[in-house]
Amino acid sequence: MKKITVTIMALILAMVMVFTGCSAAGTQDTSSNEEYYSKTEAAMEPAADMDYAEDIGDDVSAEAPIAEEDSGEGGTSLGLNDAPSILEPSVDRKIIYSGYIESRTKNFEEDYQMILDKLTEAGGYVENAYMYGTPPEDWQDEGRQVEITLRVPSDKFDAFIEMLSGIGENVSSSISGEDISLRYFDLETRLSTLRIREERLQALLEEAKGLEDIIELERELADVAYEIQTNEVEKRNYDSLIDYSTITVRMQEVHDVAAITPSEESVGERIASGFYSVLNALADFGEGLLIVLVAGAPILIILGLIAVLIVWLVKRSRKKRGKKAQTQGEKNNEK
């Protein structure tokens, strides 16, 4: 009995020792794995970040501090989701406005001069203008036409369009707006990045000693300066289109149609007047025909001689064919 009890106690002790060893081994493996992964992640950090930090130097400390998160009610924070967006109504949007107006007028010179005067008062200018035609004399004449491109301050765009709509008879008009906010703000970001890069390259150039390094830095500076100039030209073009809207005006001159008054002549008088009108028309036709005949007499004589020659040749040819056919018939009869 004692042997059995000792044996059971030995088995229980052995099992306790086995479980204790396994638990310690598991804890050791876990800590070693964590150490391994931490070392691996540190080794996998990109080398570009280290170079970037070395190039920046003291500029890193000049960066704006990151706003703290809101830790409780009533706190304020400016995280990524709270940054200003151009999709918000409060953001100043960049919109290019343009308009087109086509009209007809009986007072061409006065209305055209009024457009120029109003444009000067609004602080705008003429971008280009094209005028053609002559003043109309009869009601069927087309008259003069002008197509002029105006640049008007954007804050006076609506008022100027309304003024133009009241000139003459409005045939057609249109207004459009193009929102370039995304492109404009992206262009500003590119310019800011390029200027920072230019400053850093200039700082490196001042500290460079080797000839190869100086040449390489000067080449990169030239490339950056060219990109900055190109983007600044594009930005100035955008600013011009945003600040000054474009309006195209096409105006046509028309003649005032005279009113037709009823005739006060009697029927006989109107018949006589019509008869004389027909005689005058025939006389004019005969006179024109005579002028054509006299002026074209040399050509007509030549054409007449050619026609006579052709008729004579045709008749002669027919006579020859007739004689030939008759002679052939006589020979056949003799046979």
Side-chain angles (χ1 to χ4, degrees), residues 188-199:
E188 285 186 332
T189 303
R190 288 202 307 268
L191 276 171
S192 178
T193 304
L194 287 170
R195 291 191 179 102
I196 292 174
R197 184 182 176 189
E198 185 181 32
E199 291 177 0

Side-chain angles (χ1 to χ4, degrees), residues 31-52:
S31 61
S32 62
N33 288 337
E34 291 177 355
E35 183 179 359
Y36 171 77
Y37 284 118
S38 63
K39 291 181 178 180
T40 304
E41 291 176 357
M44 292 178 65
E45 289 293 328
D49 291 343
M50 298 176 63
D51 296 336
Y52 178 74

Side-chain angles (χ1 to χ4, degrees), residues 106-146:
K106 300 174 184 178
N107 304 315
F108 183 82
E109 295 181 358
E110 293 82 357
D111 291 343
Y112 180 67
Q113 188 61 42
M114 184 175 68
I115 292 174
L116 298 180
D117 294 341
K118 294 292 184 181
L119 180 66
T120 304
E121 293 178 6
Y125 62 93
V126 177
E127 188 172 65
N128 56 67
Y130 176 61
M131 184 184 297
Y132 56 95
T134 57
E137 296 180 357
D138 297 328
W139 66 273
Q140 292 180 335
D141 295 344
E142 292 184 356
R144 292 167 290 183
Q145 296 185 33
V146 63

Side-chain angles (χ1 to χ4, degrees), residues 197-198 201-202 205 211-227:
R197 184 182 176 189
E198 185 181 32
L201 287 173
Q202 289 176 351
L205 181 61
L211 181 60
E212 294 182 358
D213 295 338
I214 293 174
I215 294 174
E216 181 66 20
L217 289 170
E218 287 180 347
R219 184 182 63 81
E220 293 185 8
L221 273 171
D223 294 341
V224 172
Y226 176 76
E227 293 182 16

Side-chain angles (χ1 to χ4, degrees), residues 323-335:
K323 289 182 180 180
K324 185 176 181 181
Q326 184 179 1
T327 304
Q328 187 69 26
E330 291 177 354
K331 288 183 179 181
N332 292 333
N333 291 332
E334 290 177 357
K335 290 181 180 181

